[in-house]
Amino acid sequence: MEEIVSWIRPVLSGLVACLIVWAMVAYAKSECRREGDIRHLRYGVPFKIFAALIIPFSAFVVYGVSQSYKGQEIPAFLVAAGFAAGSVFFPYQAFLVRFSYDDRFIYYRSPLVGSKKVPWDKLLEVGYSRILQADYIIVDGIGKIWCSSMLDGYGELGAFLEEKVRELHAE
């Protein structure tokens, strides 16, 4: 019986994680919040709760990793490093980054880049990261802007980018 429980525990935790991610994506609205012509992409409440909770959860994981058995140091360190990176990246994206756009400009604000207003003709690349499971755009003067499917307005941005890329390459 103990063998079955030890086998099923990771499967159940993976299913719970999948359910949480599915709920965060399903809760995201496809339309942006608008102020006039400007469309604002923001993370919704479920993602912000996740981003806030990942900090103490990561501290717990790092503590647990510090109790690892001899011979498990490298995998344990990699797990701890992943959680530590996530506990910085997700709250940073959820609470400190602002991304908006209209038909002519991209408006971006973050602690690392500052506030930027860049025309769409500075768009260099639209891509997808398999590791982070997120789209991105690279803009001259801003750098890489991550666009997760958990953003409110993600669907609208995708349709807009398809049209904008067609328009920019037609010139």
Side-chain angles (χ1 to χ4, degrees):
M1 180 68 172
E2 187 176 312
E3 207 173 286
I4 292 172
V5 171
S6 68
W7 175 84
I8 204 152
R9 190 175 299 141
V11 172
L12 287 176
S13 67
L15 290 173
V16 168
C18 287
L19 183 63
I20 290 169
V21 170
W22 175 82
M24 287 190 296
V25 171
Y27 186 79
K29 299 173 185 129
S30 67
E31 294 86 28
C32 300
R33 187 174 59 82
R34 293 177 181 250
E35 281 180 19
D37 291 338
I38 298 177
R39 302 168 191 99
H40 300 281
L41 285 95
R42 300 288 185 266
Y43 286 100
V45 173
F47 186 84
K48 287 182 177 181
I49 290 169
F50 167 77
L53 290 177
I54 198 168
I55 297 168
F57 185 73
S58 294
F60 174 74
V61 168
V62 169
Y63 169 75
V65 163
S66 73
Q67 307 301 310
S68 64
Y69 298 108
K70 187 167 179 76
Q72 294 181 330
E73 294 91 352
I74 293 173
F77 171 78
L78 293 173
V79 168
F83 273 93
S87 71
V88 173
F89 180 77
F90 292 119
Y92 178 81
Q93 289 288 13
F95 299 110
L96 301 175
V97 173
R98 296 288 178 255
F99 173 37
S100 304
Y101 66 96
D102 60 22
D103 292 336
R104 297 180 322 144
F105 294 101
I106 300 165
Y107 307 91
Y108 188 78
R109 183 172 50 111
S110 78
L112 295 176
V113 175
S115 292
K116 302 282 186 171
K117 177 182 174 183
V118 179
W120 275 107
D121 62 0
K122 300 287 186 183
L123 178 67
L124 300 175
E125 181 181 343
V126 176
Y128 180 75
S129 169
R130 290 183 189 187
I131 294 171
L132 294 178
Q133 299 289 301
D135 293 298
Y136 62 85
I137 61 174
I138 299 177
V139 181
D140 187 24
I142 296 175
K144 193 175 283 187
I145 301 173
W146 292 103
C147 305
S148 168
S149 59
M150 295 176 207
L151 275 169
D152 287 348
Y154 173 79
E156 190 174 341
L157 174 66
F160 178 85
L161 280 174
E162 283 182 25
E163 185 62 35
K164 187 55 78 174
V165 167
R166 241 183 263 121
E167 178 185 310
L168 290 172
H169 287 299
E171 295 175 356

